[in-house]
């Protein structure tokens, strides 16, 4: 199971949509493509799935170039486009039967897919009568019907209510246990909730490629604080979980804590206990949120 994206660039006339993007995915993992609107997520996904064929660079799926053997590629890939185009007037089962025929998949597989996405109860309903969350499941079922090793989901949770969101995220995580999943989102919490790895896109370029588990482990909390008076370094020993201490000149200090607990109130207590006033205090978290804001602003 592998995807290799090699120096991919895409121009729409003069608009640079994707610029020199390279990455590899070699095992079943959920990879988030995180970036603001217009950062090139959908374009990159259309290139990987073979929907856009004119671009620079190459994409190899299981070592095969999308430029050379599109049909073989599409056997390995399931794609849920951003707009989730469905035949609204069709019945769920009817629609999936149609999709199965397109892929030359035996009808008996449909039952398994309905089951996998939790649609069995809705099989005999017309698509337009379903909630947005259930429509997304129909789109997912259609993307899954040929049991692809790779799933590409373009903003799969946009427009869902909180309950539907949790259900679809659970489903994605579950599917990601034995498939490569690339999902796009502009919501950072989404990445934290479902992904193993994140690629951050800005203006068509990848500006970060991070392992979420590692990122969570190194969740340092940095507090920059200015007191009204100078204070000796040794006093800071009173603060718990303090990992490092840097003097930024004057009575300004940068304190790095190795804890997820919000340390601001501890710093306030510390000031009071030592007869100091706090002139200003800023927190800088070294987590996905700060990384994303820093890299995309
Ligand atoms: P995202 O999915 O991250 O919102 P897109 O890939 O849709 O980003 O768009 C990336 C850039 O390419 C944007 O500036 C967008 O306006 C432009 N773009 C996307 N599709 C087209 C198109 N068909 N023709 C011209 N420009 C496009
Ligand atoms: Mg998009």
């Amino acid at each position: 199971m592998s995807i290799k994206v090699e120096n991919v660039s895409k121009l729409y006339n003069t608009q640079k949509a994707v610029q020199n993007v390279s990455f590899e995915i070699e095992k079943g993992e959920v990879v988030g493509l995180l970036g603001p609107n217009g950062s090139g997520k959908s374009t990159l996904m259309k290139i990987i799935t073979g929907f856009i064929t004119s671009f620079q660079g190459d994409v190899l799926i299981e070592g095969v170039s999308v430029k050379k053997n599109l049909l073989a590629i599409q056997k390995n890939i399931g794609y849920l486009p951003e707009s989730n185009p469905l035949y609204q007037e069709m019945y769920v089962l009817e629609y999936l039967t149609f999709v199965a025929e397109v892929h030359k998949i035996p009808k008996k597989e449909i039952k398994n897919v309905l089951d996998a996405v939790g649609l069995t109860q809705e099989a005999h309903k017309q698509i337009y009568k379903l909630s947005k969350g259930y429509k997304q499941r129909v789109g997912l079922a259609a993307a899954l019907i040929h049991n692809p090793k790779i799933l590409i989901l373009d903003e799969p949770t946009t427009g869902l209510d909180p309950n539907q969101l949790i259900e679809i995220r659970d489903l994605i995580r579950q599917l990601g246990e034995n498939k490569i999943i690339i999902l796009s989102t502009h919501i950072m919490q989404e990445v934290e909730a479902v992904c193993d790895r994140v690629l951050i896109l800005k203006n068509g370029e990848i500006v970060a490629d991070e392992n979420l588990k590692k990122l969570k482990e190194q969740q340092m909390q940095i507090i920059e604080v200015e007191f009204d008076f100078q204070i000796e370094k040794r006093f800071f020993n009173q603060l718990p979980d303090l990992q490092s201490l840097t003097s930024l000149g004057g009575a300004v200090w940068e304190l790095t804590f190795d804890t997820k607990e919000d340390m601001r109130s501890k710093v306030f207590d510390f000031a009071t206990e030592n007869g100091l006033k706090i002139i200003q205090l800023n927190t800088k978290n070294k987590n996905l949120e700060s990384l994303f804001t820093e890299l995309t602003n």
Side-chain angles (χ1 to χ4, degrees):
M1 215 182 328
S2 75
I3 298 183
K4 196 168 185 182
V5 174
E6 293 178 335
N7 302 315
V8 165
S9 297
K10 171 71 189 171
L11 273 178
Y12 293 109
N13 302 314
T14 55
Q15 170 73 49
K16 284 180 182 168
V18 173
Q19 294 190 64
N20 210 25
V21 164
S22 299
F23 63 88
E24 272 180 63
I25 307 174
E26 287 184 329
K27 57 178 192 296
E29 59 180 357
V30 183
V31 179
L33 213 54
L34 177 65
N37 285 329
S39 56
K41 305 182 294 294
S42 296
T43 303
L44 189 54
M45 292 185 141
K46 286 177 196 161
I47 289 171
I48 295 172
T49 52
F51 273 76
I52 290 177
T53 50
S54 121
F55 62 94
Q56 287 172 297
D58 206 354
V59 176
L60 307 176
I61 307 289
E62 309 277 27
V64 179
S65 163
V66 286
K67 288 187 164 171
K68 298 207 176 95
N69 195 343
L70 196 54
L71 234 61
I73 298 311
Q74 287 175 346
K75 270 205 169 105
N76 282 321
I77 294 188
Y79 175 39
L80 177 63
E82 196 166 17
S83 53
N84 187 14
L86 296 169
Y87 293 97
Q88 300 283 343
E89 72 289 351
M90 277 180 139
Y91 292 84
V92 173
L93 185 60
E94 183 191 11
Y95 175 66
L96 293 176
T97 307
F98 161 73
V99 178
E101 277 165 10
V102 171
H103 286 285
K104 302 189 170 65
I105 298 297
K107 273 188 192 161
K108 61 175 169 48
E109 293 298 326
I110 299 170
K111 199 179 160 292
N112 297 336
V113 171
L114 282 171
D115 210 36
V117 302
L119 266 179
T120 307
Q121 300 288 321
E122 329 299 314
H124 301 288
K125 289 185 184 161
Q126 272 176 295
I127 294 172
Y128 79 88
K129 289 183 181 162
L130 300 176
S131 68
K132 173 98 199 221
Y134 275 92
K135 281 182 187 159
Q136 276 311 73
R137 290 174 196 240
V138 178
L140 265 178
L144 279 169
I145 207 136
H146 55 302
N147 194 20
K149 292 178 187 146
I150 298 165
L151 261 188
I152 310 283
L153 312 173
D154 199 352
E155 308 235 3
T157 62
T158 299
L160 301 186
D161 72 31
N163 287 327
Q164 295 167 344
L165 199 71
I166 291 167
E167 288 167 11
I168 296 288
R169 283 178 181 171
D170 282 346
L171 189 56
I172 292 170
R173 254 200 308 263
Q174 201 184 314
L175 292 167
E177 279 167 21
N178 44 31
K179 290 184 194 298
I180 288 179
I181 300 187
I182 303 182
L183 68 87
S184 70
T185 178
H186 55 275
I187 305 155
M188 207 203 55
Q189 290 80 356
E190 178 114 309
V191 169
E192 289 190 314
V194 284
C195 300
D196 302 306
R197 176 178 165 193
V198 61
L199 304 174
I200 301 180
L201 268 182
K202 182 189 181 181
N203 298 332
E205 284 181 87
I206 291 188
V207 290
D209 179 348
E210 297 278 346
N211 177 306
L212 262 287
K213 204 166 151 244
K214 283 198 189 131
L215 203 63
K216 277 177 193 155
E217 278 166 8
Q218 30 166 271
Q219 209 169 54
M220 296 291 173
Q221 190 183 155
I222 302 163
I223 295 182
E224 194 184 299
V225 61
E226 181 178 5
F227 300 108
D228 60 342
F229 282 107
Q230 281 284 18
I231 178 172
E232 277 177 55
K233 207 167 180 173
R234 62 187 167 89
F235 283 99
F236 289 97
N237 292 336
Q238 300 166 22
L239 282 164
D241 297 313
L242 187 64
Q243 216 221 9
S244 70
L245 176 67
T246 314
S247 166
L248 300 179
V252 187
W253 295 87
E254 187 182 270
L255 315 170
T256 302
F257 295 97
D258 187 5
T259 176
K260 280 169 195 149
E261 186 191 340
D262 188 341
M263 293 303 287
R264 285 175 299 183
S265 63
K266 290 267 167 39
V267 174
F268 273 103
D269 292 346
F270 167 79
T272 315
E273 280 158 21
N274 292 284
L276 296 164
K277 286 202 177 74
I278 287 176
I279 309 292
Q280 62 167 326
L281 183 148
N282 299 308
T283 55
K284 304 184 246 175
N285 276 21
K286 193 177 160 194
N287 57 17
L288 183 57
E289 184 171 5
S290 57
L291 189 68
F292 184 51
T293 322
E294 197 181 301
L295 292 172
T296 55
N297 275 351

